[in-house]
Amino acid sequence: MKTPPRVSAPSSDPSLFPPPIEDDFSYYYTFFQDSVPSDLPDMLPLHRRRCRPTDEPDAASGNCHRKKKRKIARILTSLAALDSPDESDRRESEEDLSRLRANNDKKAAVMLEYYSRLQDHYYSDVETAESVRIARFRTAASSAAIAAASAADEVEAQNPQQQHQRRLWVKDRSRAWWERCNHPDFPEVEFRRAFRMGRGTFEMICEALGAAVAKEDTMLRAAIPVRQRVAVCIWRLATGEPLRLVSKRFGLGISTCHKLVLEVCSAIRTVLMPRFLQWPDPAGASNIKARFESVSGIPNVLGSMYTTHIPIIAPKISVAAYYNRRHTERNQKTSYSITVQGVVDPDGVFTDVCIGWPGSMSDDQVLENSALYNRAQDKGLLGKAWIVGSSGHPLLDWVLVPYTHQNLTWTQHAFNEKIGEVQRIAREAFARLKGRWSCLQKRTEVKLQDLPVVLGACCVLHNICEMMKEEMDPELNYELVDDEMVPEISLRSVSSMQARDTIAHNLLHRGLAGTKFF
């Protein structure tokens, strides 16, 4: 049997094949008849070619041909419809697709909105439950506090001797050491070793600060007594111990001890500094000049000036300004500091202090930025009096410093020896200041902005101890280590240069100069 050739489907181009009409299939039949081989009827199945036996030959042949035409026309119509769908069906399919997408987007938006509302509702329920829980906890705590306070009041009513005992929100800490120190039978030597002063001086300070540091009792606790407040501050300044040890000694919280130190230091600066650290009046100035002249033979000396450095922890801002290069090079350890400039009288009592300038500044820079420089240089506070400085200070109309150049004459050596005696008074005063208050010897836990208040309180307490003739234990002696740098311009006044030469000449020719330079 021969294999029939492959019949290609009619083209879908509407210009070649117009849309079929249901009653007219002649066009498609003619095309199909021309394209189908002549022997195709022979290859069709027998039951497809055979006519009914009951029909007449001619009629049967005509009926079969008509049936074949209709079947072929239907097949061609279906193929044409499949190959070239009309424009209306395409538009309907696109509209259906767009409606489907819009419906899908709408459902997604509705679901997202529902999820968002559900989430908000859930979190609002959680927050509400948390706030209710916190409110219930606070209510219960307040009720317990009121009940405890009421019970404590009833107990105190029955026992009046226990009225000043702390009752609530205070950790049970041992106060045995402070109670032993506060007892009248506590040895004076031990008290002086702990607080760097005698009991009489301590009582005077407590009495002077009582109104400034006293607190009133509350419903929940009794106030800390004034004596204990002052003792916490002085013991902390005297020993330099960390706050955790202060807390163990006095039976108080660490934060409470830190707060007490700052409060008492501020009260000392406000109440005691105007009384115990002030510039001398005319009568006192005359006495000071006479005493300095008796020591050194130099007339009109009103004070001895010195500048020291206090170590600090590296600050968070302006680190380079507080960097101490000289101490770092000497100790092989990075050092930061602030400066304390002070003027003392013959007894080593401070008459002027300047606290807080960064440690990178030299002595002459600190002097130029001090209030003393403004009063003396611009307002003529000193008149014809001298302030004796070190080699790190410049020679001014009111600042007298030693000779610093090489190849000194005998007269200049003699002058340096005598002015060194005056300068030694200031150095020894600063040595006692740091030896008595050990917090100045090492870096403290006090913040940089609070440190000037603490240092000022140490200077005031030093003056009180010096005025009260409080002896310092030899074990507390401290050796000062402050490098003095000669300023770039050390000679700033021609008249002061001539005055210094005159003073040096008089010292040598009046026989007041020593012989240590030989």
Side-chain angles (χ1 to χ4, degrees), residues 271-288:
V271 178
L272 299 182
M273 183 175 284
R275 292 174 52 185
F276 295 98
L277 201 159
Q278 56 184 349
W279 192 255
D281 54 13
S286 299
N287 184 27
I288 291 174

Side-chain angles (χ1 to χ4, degrees), residues 94-212:
E94 291 178 354
E95 290 177 358
D96 292 340
L97 181 60
S98 62
R99 283 196 298 269
L100 181 60
R101 290 178 178 175
N103 189 20
N104 187 24
D105 295 340
K106 185 177 180 180
K107 289 183 179 180
V110 171
M111 290 299 296
L112 289 175
E113 184 179 2
Y114 173 75
Y115 177 74
S116 177
R117 291 181 179 179
L118 181 63
Q119 191 176 18
D120 294 340
H121 179 71
Y122 171 76
Y123 284 119
S124 63
D125 289 345
V126 172
E127 292 177 356
T128 303
E130 183 68 16
S131 61
V132 170
R133 187 185 67 80
I134 295 175
R136 289 179 179 176
F137 176 77
R138 290 178 177 176
T139 303
S142 301
S143 302
I146 295 173
S150 301
D153 291 338
E154 294 178 359
V155 173
E156 289 183 357
Q158 298 176 0
N159 301 317
Q161 296 180 356
Q162 298 181 358
Q163 289 184 356
H164 296 288
Q165 184 178 359
R166 296 187 179 187
R167 296 168 292 187
L168 192 63
W169 307 118
V170 178
K171 183 179 179 179
D172 187 14
R173 296 183 175 90
S174 175
R175 293 178 291 179
W177 183 86
W178 163 242
E179 292 176 354
R180 185 164 57 89
C181 292
N182 196 31
H183 197 273
D185 295 337
F186 189 69
E188 181 71 15
V189 177
E190 296 295 330
F191 190 92
R192 189 182 300 274
R193 182 178 293 111
F195 297 99
R196 307 296 194 262
M197 62 182 67
R199 197 183 301 273
T201 305
F202 180 81
E203 295 291 345
M204 184 270 294
I205 295 175
C206 292
E207 183 179 355
L209 299 178

Side-chain angles (χ1 to χ4, degrees), residues 308-315 318-328 334-340 356-361 434 443 448 451 455 482:
T308 190
H309 290 256
I310 307 298
I312 62 172
I313 299 175
S318 302
V319 179
Y322 293 90
Y323 175 70
N324 193 319
R325 179 177 57 83
R326 297 182 296 276
H327 288 192
T328 300
T334 305
S335 300
Y336 301 89
S337 65
I338 65 172
T339 59
V340 178
W357 289 104
S360 63
M361 298 174 62
K434 287 190 173 182
R443 298 180 299 180
L448 185 61
L451 198 54
L455 299 181
D482 290 303

